[in-house]
Amino acid sequence: MKFLKNIGKNERFIITVLFLGAVVSIFDRMVMSLAITGIGAEFDLDASMKGIILSSFFLGYAIMSIPGGWLADKFGSKIVIVISIITWSIFTGLSGLAWSVTSLIVIRFLFGLGEGGFPGASTKAIAEYIPKDKRPKSQAFVKSGDPVGLTLAPLIAVPIIVLFGWRSMFLIIAVVGIFLAISYVIIPKRDQLALERENANYPKLSFRELLKVPKMWSFVIAWFGVCIYMWGFASWLPSYLMMDRGLNLYNAGMLSAIPTTVGVIGTLLGGYLVSKVFLGRERYLFMISGFFGAVFIYAMYVTSSLAMAIFFQAMVGLFMQAGMGGFWAVTHKAFPSRIIGSAAGLINFAGQIAGFISPMAIGFLITAMNGSFAAGIGFLIFGTIIFMVASIFIRVDDSEMKNEKVALSV
């Protein structure tokens, strides 16, 4: 990335460890969608119960999203990030020791609580350490860790599951998070004076006042729609390839990495587009992404060709991740660094409520349709439509938040 050459050594280090944090956090949560087949066989679970297990993580994640962002605004990002990584790593390991369905649901819920503080704190860290004009691209680069984690999950976890079983897989990957937490401890101190100068023209807002900013809600609803698609798609894609397309676990895991691999390109592309091409018109990128995401999800399902289904999956990843990468990049344009942690936490909260609903809802829909994925696919398309419609109302300029308490009528 060219922009990395134009910032200091400390800034490059911080962006790198934030990127790795994004990779590991997504990796750790998504290996469950690969292990769920073995878990279902061991505990004799139907699709509905599998959906509950997949969704239990997101309930804990959602609950902690807003407090995590608020704590990062109040105490700084570093302490929140370190505690978050250590906590989620512990519960990743405990997932491999689950002795019943109930224990697994509780562990996954607590795992979600651990991860919930990371996104808001990560966004806050970029505002704390990175020059303002470099933040959108930095955020897009860090968010590209999400599809990287989604890509690596099947490539790494599936062979471990095949060779050693799903329990050993959770125990092995838990160790990685502990080493990552150590790397965050050595992050240098932030430039507090520079932050104070930057925020001099912005009011101090309480969380309640932030809720009264209209554009806050366009971001919240748009991200809710994205996550209906994202977590439903990511959680059920391996099962779809096995149940609907007749693939085995290994082949399904490898093929499900294709859309996320393409998604890395899409995320970085989205950061570039909102910085260079769609300046002042960022919402059009999000609307285009949602529209083509819906089109290609439908095409993936109706085609009879496995090769074309994989191609359409890749196109879904490209368009939706471009929208998602651009979406998080513009949060640094829309909200001042003083409140970016709380804003990101609120946005992420909505997304994780969707993440809680989507895998479980799709599981129930599959069961209700006697194993058919038709209604589940329609639910994914519904999420992309929410994203597309909400994007119409997204405004990026933060000028209305300067000097006055808040122009609540804007």
Side-chain angles (χ1 to χ4, degrees), residues 137-373:
K137 288 185 179 180
S138 297
Q139 183 73 65
F141 180 77
V142 170
K143 290 301 289 183
S144 72
D146 290 358
V148 169
L150 290 170
T151 299
L152 292 178
L155 297 178
I156 295 174
V158 167
I160 295 175
I161 294 171
V162 171
L163 292 174
F164 304 108
W166 64 270
R167 293 182 180 274
S168 297
M169 181 269 296
F170 282 115
L171 294 170
I172 290 169
I173 64 176
V175 178
V176 177
I178 300 300
F179 283 103
L180 180 64
I182 295 172
S183 71
Y184 276 94
V185 172
I186 62 175
I187 286 179
K189 292 183 177 181
R190 57 186 178 173
D191 188 343
Q192 186 63 37
L193 289 177
L195 278 176
E196 291 175 358
R197 288 194 297 270
E198 177 184 322
N199 286 311
N201 293 323
Y202 295 98
K204 290 184 177 180
L205 298 179
S206 68
F207 187 77
R208 180 178 297 180
E209 289 166 335
L210 180 62
L211 295 177
K212 296 178 182 178
V213 179
K215 71 176 176 182
M216 182 79 254
W217 291 100
S218 60
F219 277 84
V220 165
I221 295 171
W223 191 244
F224 177 85
V226 166
C227 289
I228 287 288
Y229 144 76
M230 179 168 64
W231 296 123
F233 190 80
S235 296
W236 283 102
L237 180 58
S239 296
Y240 164 73
L241 291 173
M242 287 186 284
M243 296 168 63
D244 212 57
R245 297 288 177 171
L247 302 180
N248 60 32
L249 173 62
Y250 183 83
N251 289 332
M254 296 302 105
L255 289 176
S256 66
I258 292 176
T260 52
T261 302
V262 176
V264 177
I265 300 172
T267 305
L268 296 173
L269 179 63
Y272 170 82
L273 290 174
V274 296
S275 298
K276 299 292 185 180
V277 179
F278 287 88
L279 287 173
R281 305 184 304 276
E282 293 87 353
R283 63 186 180 277
Y284 295 117
L285 171 63
F286 310 146
M287 293 162 62
I288 291 169
S289 298
F291 174 78
F292 282 103
V295 168
F296 286 119
I297 289 172
Y298 178 76
M300 173 198 75
Y301 182 68
V302 298
T303 183
S304 59
S305 166
L306 176 60
M308 290 305 298
I310 300 302
F311 171 75
F312 290 137
Q313 287 173 24
M315 291 300 98
V316 173
L318 179 66
F319 278 94
M320 290 304 295
Q321 287 294 155
M324 292 153 66
F327 179 91
W328 278 103
V330 301
T331 58
H332 289 279
K333 297 181 181 180
F335 303 100
S337 61
R338 185 191 295 278
I339 60 165
I340 189 68
S342 297
L346 180 57
I347 294 167
N348 198 56
F349 170 78
Q352 302 322 308
I353 291 295
F356 171 72
I357 293 170
S358 190
M360 184 167 54
I362 291 173
F364 280 111
L365 288 170
I366 293 170
T367 299
M369 297 287 288
N370 297 316
S372 170
F373 278 78

Side-chain angles (χ1 to χ4, degrees), residues 16 27 42 69 106 178 211 242 314 331 338 377 410:
T16 300
F27 181 98
E42 180 172 331
V106 172
I178 300 300
L211 295 177
M242 287 186 284
T331 58
R338 185 191 295 278
I377 293 295
V410 174

